[in-house]
Amino acid sequence: MVSIAPRLAQLAAAAMAAPEDGTFWMPERASSYAGEVDWLFYFIYWVSVFFFCLIAALMTVFLLRYRKPPGARAESQAEHNTVLEIVWSVIPLIIVIVIFLGGFKGYLTMAVLPDSSASLEILVNGQKWQWTFQYPNGYVDKDLHAPVDRPVRLVLSSSDVIHSLYIPAFRLKKDAVPGRYNKAWFRATRPGEYNLYCAEYCGTAHSAMIAQAIIHPRGGYEAWLEDASNFLERMSPADAGRKLYNERGCSQCHSTDGRSGTGPSFLGIYEKEALFSDGTRAMVDENYIRESIMEPMAKIVAGYQGVMPSYQGRLKDAEITALIAYIKTLKEE
Ligand code: CUA
Protein backbone atom coordinates (compact mmCIF):
# COMPACT_ATOMS: atom_id res chain seq x y z
CA MET A 1 0.00 0.00 0.00
CA VAL A 2 2.96 2.34 0.69
CA SER A 3 4.02 1.93 -2.95
CA ILE A 4 0.90 3.85 -3.95
CA ALA A 5 2.43 7.15 -2.76
CA PRO A 6 4.96 7.48 -5.61
CA ARG A 7 2.21 6.50 -8.06
CA LEU A 8 -0.04 9.27 -6.73
CA ALA A 9 2.81 11.76 -7.00
CA GLN A 10 3.30 10.62 -10.61
CA LEU A 11 -0.36 11.12 -11.44
CA ALA A 12 -0.33 14.56 -9.80
CA ALA A 13 2.77 15.49 -11.78
CA ALA A 14 1.07 14.31 -14.97
CA ALA A 15 -1.88 16.58 -14.16
CA MET A 16 0.50 19.52 -13.71
CA ALA A 17 2.17 18.84 -17.02
CA ALA A 18 -1.19 18.64 -18.78
CA PRO A 19 -1.79 21.11 -21.61
CA GLU A 20 -2.48 24.71 -20.64
CA ASP A 21 -5.87 24.39 -22.30
CA GLY A 22 -7.30 22.76 -19.24
CA THR A 23 -8.18 19.24 -18.23
CA PHE A 24 -11.40 17.30 -17.81
CA TRP A 25 -12.08 18.91 -14.40
CA MET A 26 -10.19 22.18 -14.65
CA PRO A 27 -10.44 25.16 -17.04
CA GLU A 28 -7.50 26.50 -19.00
CA ARG A 29 -4.57 27.68 -16.95
CA ALA A 30 -3.27 31.21 -17.39
CA SER A 31 -1.68 32.39 -14.15
CA SER A 32 1.60 31.62 -12.43
CA TYR A 33 -0.03 29.86 -9.47
CA ALA A 34 -2.75 27.94 -11.35
CA GLY A 35 -0.53 24.85 -11.46
CA GLU A 36 -0.27 24.76 -7.65
CA VAL A 37 -4.06 24.75 -7.33
CA ASP A 38 -4.42 22.00 -9.92
CA TRP A 39 -1.69 19.87 -8.37
CA LEU A 40 -3.49 19.83 -5.02
CA PHE A 41 -6.87 19.27 -6.63
CA TYR A 42 -5.59 16.26 -8.54
CA PHE A 43 -3.74 14.91 -5.51
CA ILE A 44 -6.96 14.92 -3.45
CA TYR A 45 -8.88 13.62 -6.44
CA TRP A 46 -6.63 10.57 -6.96
CA VAL A 47 -6.44 9.86 -3.21
CA SER A 48 -10.25 9.83 -3.21
CA VAL A 49 -10.43 7.60 -6.30
CA PHE A 50 -7.92 5.19 -4.77
CA PHE A 51 -9.72 4.89 -1.42
CA PHE A 52 -13.13 4.64 -3.05
CA CYS A 53 -11.93 1.66 -5.11
CA LEU A 54 -10.09 0.09 -2.17
CA ILE A 55 -13.06 0.35 0.22
CA ALA A 56 -15.63 -0.79 -2.35
CA ALA A 57 -13.45 -3.79 -3.32
CA LEU A 58 -12.73 -4.83 0.29
CA MET A 59 -16.40 -4.45 1.18
CA THR A 60 -17.38 -6.78 -1.66
CA VAL A 61 -14.69 -9.32 -0.80
CA PHE A 62 -15.60 -9.32 2.91
CA LEU A 63 -19.30 -9.64 2.14
CA LEU A 64 -18.70 -12.78 0.12
CA ARG A 65 -15.87 -14.22 2.24
CA TYR A 66 -17.52 -13.85 5.67
CA ARG A 67 -21.12 -14.43 4.70
CA LYS A 68 -22.98 -16.47 7.37
CA PRO A 69 -26.11 -18.58 6.88
CA PRO A 70 -29.41 -16.94 7.98
CA GLY A 71 -29.96 -17.12 11.74
CA ALA A 72 -26.24 -17.55 12.60
CA ARG A 73 -24.96 -15.52 15.59
CA ALA A 74 -21.76 -13.51 15.27
CA GLU A 75 -18.91 -14.63 17.55
CA SER A 76 -17.24 -12.13 19.85
CA GLN A 77 -13.96 -10.83 18.38
CA ALA A 78 -12.58 -8.58 21.13
CA GLU A 79 -8.96 -8.61 19.89
CA HIS A 80 -6.87 -6.09 18.12
CA ASN A 81 -4.01 -5.96 15.65
CA THR A 82 -1.41 -3.33 16.55
CA VAL A 83 0.38 -3.35 13.18
CA LEU A 84 -2.87 -2.92 11.25
CA GLU A 85 -4.01 -0.06 13.50
CA ILE A 86 -0.72 1.79 13.18
CA VAL A 87 -0.78 1.39 9.39
CA TRP A 88 -4.31 2.75 8.98
CA SER A 89 -3.54 5.67 11.27
CA VAL A 90 -0.12 6.68 9.97
CA ILE A 91 -0.86 6.51 6.22
CA PRO A 92 -3.92 8.80 6.39
CA LEU A 93 -1.94 11.10 8.70
CA ILE A 94 0.81 11.42 6.09
CA ILE A 95 -1.78 12.05 3.37
CA VAL A 96 -3.54 14.83 5.29
CA ILE A 97 -0.18 16.41 6.18
CA VAL A 98 0.70 16.51 2.46
CA ILE A 99 -2.72 18.05 1.70
CA PHE A 100 -2.27 20.63 4.47
CA LEU A 101 1.25 21.58 3.34
CA GLY A 102 0.14 21.83 -0.30
CA GLY A 103 -2.87 23.96 0.64
CA PHE A 104 -0.93 26.20 3.00
CA LYS A 105 1.84 26.79 0.49
CA GLY A 106 -0.69 27.63 -2.24
CA TYR A 107 -2.55 29.93 0.15
CA LEU A 108 0.67 31.81 0.97
CA THR A 109 1.49 32.17 -2.72
CA MET A 110 -1.88 33.82 -3.31
CA ALA A 111 -2.08 35.81 -0.06
CA VAL A 112 1.37 37.43 -0.12
CA LEU A 113 1.29 40.27 -2.62
CA PRO A 114 4.27 41.05 -4.83
CA ASP A 115 6.25 44.21 -4.15
CA SER A 116 4.19 47.25 -5.14
CA SER A 117 7.15 48.89 -6.91
CA ALA A 118 7.51 45.92 -9.26
CA SER A 119 3.84 45.45 -10.03
CA LEU A 120 0.90 47.14 -11.66
CA GLU A 121 -1.96 48.12 -9.34
CA ILE A 122 -5.56 48.12 -10.54
CA LEU A 123 -8.52 49.23 -8.42
CA VAL A 124 -11.51 46.91 -8.75
CA ASN A 125 -14.98 48.01 -7.75
CA GLY A 126 -18.07 45.84 -7.56
CA GLN A 127 -21.43 47.51 -7.85
CA LYS A 128 -24.83 46.07 -8.64
CA TRP A 129 -24.32 44.73 -11.33
CA GLN A 130 -21.09 45.56 -13.01
CA TRP A 131 -17.38 45.41 -12.33
CA THR A 132 -15.27 48.49 -12.98
CA PHE A 133 -11.49 48.54 -13.18
CA GLN A 134 -9.52 51.72 -12.62
CA TYR A 135 -6.01 51.95 -14.05
CA PRO A 136 -3.08 53.95 -12.64
CA ASN A 137 -3.79 56.95 -14.91
CA GLY A 138 -7.39 57.18 -13.66
CA TYR A 139 -9.05 55.58 -16.68
CA VAL A 140 -11.97 53.29 -15.80
CA ASP A 141 -12.97 50.29 -17.92
CA LYS A 142 -15.56 47.53 -17.67
CA ASP A 143 -12.96 44.85 -18.40
CA LEU A 144 -9.76 43.88 -16.66
CA HIS A 145 -6.82 44.63 -18.95
CA ALA A 146 -3.33 43.56 -17.93
CA PRO A 147 0.05 42.80 -19.44
CA VAL A 148 1.38 39.28 -19.70
CA ASP A 149 4.23 38.18 -17.39
CA ARG A 150 3.94 41.09 -14.99
CA PRO A 151 2.60 40.89 -11.42
CA VAL A 152 -0.73 42.70 -11.08
CA ARG A 153 -2.06 43.77 -7.69
CA LEU A 154 -5.83 44.13 -7.36
CA VAL A 155 -7.39 46.31 -4.67
CA LEU A 156 -11.05 45.36 -4.37
CA SER A 157 -13.90 47.41 -2.98
CA SER A 158 -17.68 47.41 -3.26
CA SER A 159 -20.19 50.24 -3.50
CA ASP A 160 -23.13 48.26 -2.16
CA VAL A 161 -23.20 44.57 -1.23
CA ILE A 162 -20.64 41.75 -1.18
CA HIS A 163 -19.47 40.71 -4.64
CA SER A 164 -16.73 38.25 -5.47
CA LEU A 165 -14.23 38.62 -8.29
CA TYR A 166 -13.71 35.25 -9.93
CA ILE A 167 -11.37 34.44 -12.83
CA PRO A 168 -11.32 30.64 -13.23
CA ALA A 169 -8.38 30.57 -15.68
CA PHE A 170 -6.23 32.36 -13.08
CA ARG A 171 -7.65 30.28 -10.17
CA LEU A 172 -8.32 33.66 -8.57
CA LYS A 173 -11.32 34.46 -6.38
CA LYS A 174 -11.60 37.31 -3.90
CA ASP A 175 -14.56 39.02 -2.25
CA ALA A 176 -15.28 42.72 -2.76
CA VAL A 177 -16.75 43.87 0.56
CA PRO A 178 -18.37 47.26 1.23
CA GLY A 179 -16.44 49.37 3.71
CA ARG A 180 -13.07 47.67 3.35
CA TYR A 181 -10.32 46.92 0.86
CA ASN A 182 -9.37 43.38 -0.09
CA LYS A 183 -6.28 42.57 -2.07
CA ALA A 184 -5.37 39.88 -4.54
CA TRP A 185 -2.75 39.44 -7.21
CA PHE A 186 -1.91 37.41 -10.28
CA ARG A 187 0.75 37.11 -12.95
CA ALA A 188 -0.77 36.06 -16.26
CA THR A 189 1.33 33.56 -18.16
CA ARG A 190 -0.16 33.91 -21.62
CA PRO A 191 -2.09 36.53 -23.61
CA GLY A 192 -5.76 35.97 -24.30
CA GLU A 193 -9.28 36.72 -23.11
CA TYR A 194 -10.55 34.94 -20.03
CA ASN A 195 -13.98 34.92 -18.45
CA LEU A 196 -14.46 36.96 -15.29
CA TYR A 197 -17.47 36.48 -13.04
CA CYS A 198 -19.12 37.62 -9.84
CA ALA A 199 -19.17 34.56 -7.58
CA GLU A 200 -21.25 35.92 -4.70
CA TYR A 201 -25.02 36.19 -5.09
CA CYS A 202 -25.67 39.94 -5.11
CA GLY A 203 -29.24 40.36 -6.34
CA THR A 204 -31.36 40.32 -9.47
CA ALA A 205 -28.67 40.61 -12.17
CA HIS A 206 -25.92 38.72 -10.33
CA SER A 207 -25.62 36.26 -13.20
CA ALA A 208 -25.12 39.12 -15.67
CA MET A 209 -22.23 40.59 -13.67
CA ILE A 210 -19.64 39.24 -16.06
CA ALA A 211 -16.64 40.74 -17.84
CA GLN A 212 -13.41 39.74 -19.54
CA ALA A 213 -9.87 39.57 -18.26
CA ILE A 214 -7.88 40.65 -21.30
CA ILE A 215 -4.19 39.81 -21.19
CA HIS A 216 -2.15 41.81 -23.67
CA PRO A 217 1.09 40.61 -25.22
CA ARG A 218 4.28 42.57 -24.45
CA GLY A 219 3.82 46.28 -25.10
CA GLY A 220 0.13 45.82 -25.91
CA TYR A 221 -1.16 46.90 -22.51
CA GLU A 222 0.55 50.32 -22.62
CA ALA A 223 -0.71 50.94 -26.16
CA TRP A 224 -4.24 49.91 -25.20
CA LEU A 225 -4.29 52.14 -22.10
CA GLU A 226 -2.99 55.15 -24.03
CA ASP A 227 -5.64 54.66 -26.71
CA ALA A 228 -8.54 53.84 -24.37
CA SER A 229 -7.83 56.73 -21.99
CA ASN A 230 -8.28 59.33 -24.73
CA PHE A 231 -11.81 58.33 -25.67
CA LEU A 232 -13.31 61.66 -24.59
CA GLU A 233 -11.02 63.51 -27.00
CA ARG A 234 -11.29 60.92 -29.79
CA MET A 235 -15.05 60.39 -29.85
CA SER A 236 -18.03 62.67 -30.30
CA PRO A 237 -19.75 63.42 -26.97
CA ALA A 238 -22.72 61.19 -27.89
CA ASP A 239 -20.45 58.26 -28.82
CA ALA A 240 -18.38 58.72 -25.67
CA GLY A 241 -21.67 58.86 -23.73
CA ARG A 242 -22.80 55.56 -25.28
CA LYS A 243 -19.51 53.97 -24.26
CA LEU A 244 -19.90 55.25 -20.69
CA TYR A 245 -23.54 54.08 -20.64
CA ASN A 246 -22.42 50.56 -21.59
CA GLU A 247 -19.31 50.40 -19.45
CA ARG A 248 -20.06 52.22 -16.23
CA GLY A 249 -23.17 50.43 -15.06
CA CYS A 250 -26.02 52.56 -16.51
CA SER A 251 -27.09 49.82 -18.94
CA GLN A 252 -27.65 47.36 -16.10
CA CYS A 253 -30.78 49.24 -14.98
CA HIS A 254 -31.75 51.73 -17.71
CA SER A 255 -32.74 50.49 -21.16
CA THR A 256 -32.58 52.59 -24.33
CA ASP A 257 -35.57 50.96 -26.02
CA GLY A 258 -38.41 51.92 -23.69
CA ARG A 259 -38.44 48.74 -21.61
CA SER A 260 -38.48 49.52 -17.93
CA GLY A 261 -35.88 47.82 -15.77
CA THR A 262 -34.66 48.51 -12.25
CA GLY A 263 -34.78 52.15 -13.35
CA PRO A 264 -36.73 54.02 -16.05
CA SER A 265 -35.69 53.70 -19.70
CA PHE A 266 -33.68 56.55 -21.23
CA LEU A 267 -35.68 56.42 -24.47
CA GLY A 268 -37.29 59.75 -25.25
CA ILE A 269 -36.97 61.19 -21.74
CA TYR A 270 -35.13 64.35 -22.74
CA GLU A 271 -37.37 67.43 -22.51
CA LYS A 272 -40.29 65.31 -21.33
CA GLU A 273 -41.97 65.85 -17.99
CA ALA A 274 -41.20 63.30 -15.29
CA LEU A 275 -43.55 62.45 -12.43
CA PHE A 276 -41.90 61.72 -9.10
CA SER A 277 -42.94 59.46 -6.25
CA ASP A 278 -43.74 62.46 -4.02
CA GLY A 279 -46.24 63.72 -6.61
CA THR A 280 -44.10 66.60 -7.95
CA ARG A 281 -43.10 66.96 -11.58
CA ALA A 282 -40.11 68.35 -13.44
CA MET A 283 -38.81 68.66 -16.96
CA VAL A 284 -35.98 66.28 -17.84
CA ASP A 285 -33.13 68.56 -18.89
CA GLU A 286 -29.36 68.71 -18.52
CA ASN A 287 -29.45 69.78 -14.88
CA TYR A 288 -32.04 67.15 -13.92
CA ILE A 289 -29.93 64.37 -15.53
CA ARG A 290 -26.81 65.65 -13.79
CA GLU A 291 -28.60 65.75 -10.44
CA SER A 292 -29.94 62.21 -10.97
CA ILE A 293 -26.40 60.94 -11.55
CA MET A 294 -24.82 62.75 -8.62
CA GLU A 295 -27.73 62.61 -6.13
CA PRO A 296 -30.03 59.82 -7.30
CA MET A 297 -32.23 60.05 -4.20
CA ALA A 298 -33.19 63.70 -4.77
CA LYS A 299 -36.00 62.84 -7.21
CA ILE A 300 -37.34 59.30 -7.55
CA VAL A 301 -39.41 58.66 -10.66
CA ALA A 302 -42.89 57.38 -9.71
CA GLY A 303 -43.15 53.59 -9.90
CA TYR A 304 -39.45 52.96 -9.18
CA GLN A 305 -37.44 52.40 -6.03
CA GLY A 306 -34.59 54.62 -4.97
CA VAL A 307 -31.80 52.07 -5.35
CA MET A 308 -29.32 53.88 -7.59
CA PRO A 309 -25.87 54.54 -6.12
CA SER A 310 -24.41 58.03 -6.40
CA TYR A 311 -21.74 58.62 -9.02
CA GLN A 312 -20.36 61.59 -7.09
CA GLY A 313 -16.59 61.54 -7.55
CA ARG A 314 -16.78 58.59 -9.93
CA LEU A 315 -17.65 60.41 -13.13
CA LYS A 316 -15.82 63.47 -14.36
CA ASP A 317 -17.78 66.53 -15.51
CA ALA A 318 -16.83 65.84 -19.13
CA GLU A 319 -18.14 62.29 -18.76
CA ILE A 320 -21.49 63.48 -17.38
CA THR A 321 -21.73 65.93 -20.30
CA ALA A 322 -21.08 63.02 -22.70
CA LEU A 323 -23.79 60.92 -21.03
CA ILE A 324 -26.26 63.78 -21.36
CA ALA A 325 -25.35 64.12 -25.06
CA TYR A 326 -26.02 60.41 -25.52
CA ILE A 327 -29.39 60.51 -23.69
CA LYS A 328 -30.41 63.42 -25.96
CA THR A 329 -29.91 61.17 -29.03
CA LEU A 330 -32.38 58.57 -27.71
CA LYS A 331 -35.52 59.91 -29.35
CA GLU A 332 -38.74 58.05 -29.89
CA GLU A 333 -39.52 57.49 -33.57
CU1 CUA B 1 -22.03 40.87 -7.90
CU2 CUA B 1 -22.95 38.70 -7.78
Side-chain angles (χ1 to χ4, degrees), residues 41-277:
F41 171 82
Y42 276 104
F43 182 78
I44 296 172
Y45 173 81
W46 286 113
V47 165
S48 308
V49 168
F50 170 74
F51 280 102
F52 170 77
C53 295
L54 180 74
I55 291 167
L58 285 180
M59 205 167 67
T60 312
V61 169
F62 290 170
L63 269 173
L64 299 171
R65 172 80 177 72
Y66 299 107
R67 193 173 130 84
K68 291 271 186 335
R73 287 182 60 104
E75 296 153 35
S76 167
Q77 290 184 333
E79 324 160 0
H80 76 111
N81 184 325
T82 310
V83 174
L84 190 63
E85 284 170 22
I86 288 175
V87 167
W88 78 38
S89 303
V90 170
I91 289 176
L93 182 69
I94 293 171
I95 292 174
V96 295
I97 288 174
V98 170
I99 292 172
F100 167 76
L101 290 176
F104 190 58
K105 185 172 167 288
Y107 172 77
L108 285 182
T109 306
M110 292 177 179
V112 178
L113 266 65
D115 197 351
S116 61
S117 59
S119 48
L120 170 70
E121 190 164 276
I122 298 173
L123 306 179
V124 183
N125 187 261
Q127 185 198 310
K128 293 194 277 187
W129 288 281
Q130 187 155 37
W131 293 105
T132 50
F133 301 90
Q134 187 169 25
Y135 296 88
N137 69 355
Y139 174 68
V140 177
D141 200 89
K142 72 178 186 2
D143 290 314
L144 173 62
H145 290 259
V148 73
D149 277 333
R150 184 162 163 210
V152 176
R153 290 159 56 108
L154 302 174
V155 179
L156 296 105
S157 59
S158 166
S159 305
D160 36 46
V161 299
I162 300 177
H163 304 273
S164 186
L165 184 82
Y166 181 35
I167 310 171
F170 298 173
R171 313 289 188 268
L172 182 154
K173 184 160 169 282
K174 194 78 181 178
D175 280 5
V177 182
R180 63 171 292 172
Y181 295 102
N182 271 352
K183 291 181 182 180
W185 80 279
F186 66 86
R187 182 170 64 77
T189 49
R190 51 180 187 152
E193 295 195 12
Y194 306 98
N195 290 329
L196 184 156
Y197 302 94
C198 175
E200 178 72 48
Y201 182 68
C202 54
T204 314
H206 156 72
S207 61
M209 195 166 164
I210 47 183
Q212 293 286 306
I214 297 163
I215 302 304
H216 295 271
R218 284 185 190 286
Y221 165 78
E222 290 75 13
W224 164 81
L225 186 62
E226 166 82 35
D227 185 55
S229 311
N230 292 329
F231 74 99
L232 282 171
E233 290 84 62
R234 262 191 303 116
M235 293 177 164
S236 71
D239 285 346
R242 184 189 305 114
K243 177 178 157 68
L244 289 162
Y245 164 82
N246 283 318
E247 301 196 350
R248 299 295 287 277
C250 318
S251 59
Q252 304 294 326
C253 299
H254 300 281
S255 79
T256 55
D257 60 5
R259 275 182 300 118
S260 88
T262 307
S265 175
F266 286 163
L267 182 70
I269 57 166
Y270 184 65
E271 289 190 325
K272 293 267 163 55
E273 199 177 55
L275 171 65
F276 303 113
S277 54

